[in-house]
Amino acid sequence: MPRTRRLTAARLGPRDVLHVGSAGLRSRPVRVVLSALGIAIGIATMIAVVGISASSQAQLLRQLDALGTNMLVAKPGEGMFSGQEVKLPKDAVGMVGRIEGVEEAAGTGDLRSSVRRSEKIPEAETGGIAVKAATEGLLDVLRGGLASGTWLNAATGRYPSVVLGHVAAERLGITEPGRQVWIDDRYFTVIGILDPLPLAPEIERSALVGWAGAELLLGFDGHPTTVYERSTDASVEDVQKLLAPTIDPQNPQNVSVGDPSSALKAKAATEGAFSTLLLGLGGIALLVGGVGVANTMIISVLERRHEIGLRRSLGATRGQIRIQFVTESLMLSGLGGLAGVALGGAATGAYASAGGLPWVVPLWAVGGGFAATLAIGTVAGLYPAVRASRLSPTLALAAA
């Protein structure tokens, strides 16, 4: 008696899986676009938020590299009794310059003067601009630059000449050197305007006169109120410990030492803190997109019952039906994910270009975002796939 052979289901290769999985997408392109749009918006939001945050952080780190983190600032602290005025020694800048590891030192001294565009402007309307005496090496220590004009030197620093910080120049309406401003009871000639100084915002809002000129013309007592120094990177911590006792050996507690770059470092470290909310909104949009994909797949199952019944009648197994619809869901989500990555990258590029920032889109954000779309696509397609595989071939064909 001849032996009967059991029928086995044909296996679907990767190419076959992609073909049957994409059949539903090719037949309904408009629905595919609308369904993928929710996924794309969610991923684009997440990529853009992370990219913009990373670009801003990269800009801050670039600024730190350019400005350096080896500058310290010493100022008078509080005296032993409340309200007691503390003054730094006249030779504080020179003493700081002799500390081992210090490369450059400079200082400024606050003046009780006001600066105005002309003598006709009331004295009370100062615009928040301070007048300071400055040593010749200040610009080098601050690693600053001039937007126009020249810096104070041994010659110009003895005469009624002034260099304006860029904020002070804007408030005075001075756009170029050669103009004059009224300080106390005489005109000073503007010889330079500074570029922005992120590590010394107090200088940006000041009118700077030469040290000798301040003593001769404005009654400056010669006591610096701020000492700036640059040291080698390896000696910053040691110099920070020595600054106060060097400036005032008898009362080091009267000297306050700070690191102006710490604000930029903290800002760079916390740049992404405020992006959490937007990331959450992007995640919600992604979940909504996933719900849209699941809804599309359920409708697709209902509309294609005849196709499912026919395939089951021709020998397709339940597992093959599940694979078909999960693949279709993955492809639908994947298309939305690719579009979202492209949109998010483009949005980051536009923002970076408009703000003069470096364009940075972390690879982990791209990979993680795309992986999230595939995960959502899998979850969204599981129920429709299981539902499709459980359809009875007879009932599916009869209902068609």
Side-chain angles (χ1 to χ4, degrees), residues 10-364:
R11 293 186 178 180
L12 292 177
R15 185 174 179 180
D16 298 321
V17 171
L18 292 176
H19 180 75
V20 297
S22 62
L25 304 183
R26 294 195 304 269
S27 62
R28 299 169 179 81
V30 176
R31 184 183 297 173
V32 168
V33 171
L34 294 177
S35 299
L37 186 60
I39 294 286
I41 291 174
I43 290 298
T45 302
M46 299 178 73
I47 294 293
V49 168
V50 174
I52 290 172
S53 176
S55 297
S56 299
Q57 188 178 49
Q59 176 69 3
L60 287 172
L61 293 176
R62 182 181 292 182
Q63 279 187 343
L64 280 173
D65 289 339
L67 298 172
T69 57
N70 58 343
M71 187 176 81
L72 298 174
V73 178
K75 297 181 179 181
E78 296 182 359
M80 295 179 61
F81 303 100
S82 177
Q84 180 180 0
E85 183 180 4
V86 176
K87 290 186 177 182
L88 301 182
K90 290 186 177 182
D91 59 346
V93 174
M95 291 189 295
V96 169
R98 290 190 288 271
I99 298 176
E100 184 178 358
V102 173
E103 298 178 326
E104 300 172 293
T108 62
D110 293 342
L111 301 174
R112 299 182 183 275
S113 305
S114 62
V115 55
R116 291 165 284 162
R117 183 68 183 267
S118 71
E119 75 276 14
K120 298 180 180 180
I121 297 175
E123 186 174 354
E125 297 181 11
T126 63
I129 303 172
V131 181
K132 296 177 181 288
T135 60
E136 294 179 28
L138 178 64
L139 199 61
D140 292 333
V141 175
L142 297 179
R143 292 187 182 176
L146 286 157
S148 58
T150 59
W151 177 245
L152 299 163
N153 54 41
T156 58
R158 300 182 62 85
Y159 295 96
S161 55
V162 61
V163 174
L164 299 177
H166 87 284
V167 174
E170 290 176 356
R171 292 178 179 176
L172 290 169
I174 305 294
T175 58
E176 58 185 3
R179 303 294 180 89
Q180 290 188 318
V181 294
W182 185 261
I183 300 179
D184 279 359
D185 58 351
R186 70 173 64 208
Y187 277 105
F188 278 63
T189 301
V190 177
I191 64 172
I193 299 175
L194 297 177
D195 283 327
L197 295 168
L199 293 186
E202 68 279 4
I203 301 299
E204 296 178 340
R205 295 164 176 79
S206 301
L208 305 170
V209 298
W211 202 269
E215 292 177 328
L216 293 172
L217 305 173
L218 300 175
F220 177 46
D221 62 5
H223 288 274
T225 49
T226 307
V227 177
Y228 303 87
E229 68 80 30
R230 290 275 183 182
S231 52
T232 61
D233 292 333
S235 59
V236 172
E237 293 185 4
D238 294 334
V239 171
Q240 189 169 12
K241 297 175 182 177
L242 294 173
L243 268 180
T246 298
I247 293 174
D248 193 344
Q250 294 182 344
N251 298 292
Q253 71 276 4
N254 289 344
V255 180
S256 173
V257 179
D259 177 7
S261 66
S262 60
L264 279 179
K265 288 186 283 189
K267 187 177 180 181
T270 60
E271 182 61 37
F274 293 103
S275 64
T276 305
L277 176 61
L278 291 177
L279 279 175
L281 293 176
I284 293 173
L286 189 59
L287 290 176
V288 171
V291 173
V293 170
N295 185 55
T296 298
M297 295 305 301
I298 291 174
I299 294 174
S300 179
V301 170
L302 294 176
E303 291 179 344
R304 296 161 64 188
R305 285 179 296 177
H306 181 269
E307 174 192 335
I308 296 168
L310 184 59
R311 290 200 62 216
R312 291 281 283 122
S313 299
L314 295 176
T317 64
R318 289 185 175 182
Q320 291 172 349
I321 297 297
R322 286 194 293 267
I323 290 174
Q324 173 187 347
F325 281 91
V326 169
T327 301
E328 184 174 331
S329 178
L330 279 172
M331 294 178 72
L332 181 57
S333 300
L335 288 174
L338 290 175
V341 169
L343 288 174
T348 302
Y351 179 87
S353 177
L357 305 176
W359 182 29
V360 179
V361 178
L363 291 178
W364 66 262

